[in-house]
Amino acid sequence: MAATTRQAGAAMAANGVWAHDVTTSGAKVESLAWLTDDLVIVPKPFRRVADHIRLFGPSLACLPACPAGGADEFFVAGQGDSVVGLQHVVEVTNGPFRMTRPIEDLVFVEK
């Protein structure tokens, strides 16, 4: 099902707002204004990165630990058990951050 979702999303993304999505390709966030005005990121990680910047400033060095505080529970396509904390699918490498799995592979448990 994830492959079908990705294929449908790719067809829509080419022409829509998601054509500029940098969630999985990676982005360096220089400020809250940069995040809100210049980057296109899917909503869940956007909120976690925005919260992190508000609390700790624009350095994303400890970002992978910050989403753990959000306690977002989700399932990853192909895995049976749920996972808690976006730190399992977010990485920061020399400044830029990215999600290591496409959002289509994640199903969030709403609280």
Side-chain angles (χ1 to χ4, degrees):
M1 181 159 163
T4 304
T5 303
R6 268 196 296 278
Q7 184 179 11
M12 291 187 306
N15 298 319
V17 67
W18 300 114
H20 304 288
D21 178 30
V22 296
T23 306
T24 55
S25 62
K28 184 172 183 179
V29 179
E30 298 178 7
S31 67
L32 187 58
W34 182 263
L35 176 68
T36 59
D37 298 341
D38 298 322
L39 296 177
V40 178
I41 301 171
V42 295
K44 187 72 78 169
F46 172 90
R47 288 191 298 271
R48 297 295 171 248
V49 172
D51 289 346
H52 175 83
I53 291 171
R54 285 185 194 105
L55 290 171
F56 305 109
S59 172
L60 299 182
C62 63
L63 177 67
C66 188
D72 296 301
E73 182 179 4
F74 58 94
F75 291 88
V76 179
Q79 296 180 5
D81 295 329
S82 67
V83 178
V84 176
L86 284 178
Q87 75 275 14
H88 297 287
V89 292
V90 171
E91 73 178 15
V92 176
T93 313
N94 298 324
F97 89 97
R98 72 180 194 94
M99 284 187 63
T100 59
R101 299 293 297 252
I103 196 69
E104 295 88 0
D105 284 358
L106 309 179
V107 177
F108 288 90
V109 176
E110 292 300 321
K111 298 175 182 178

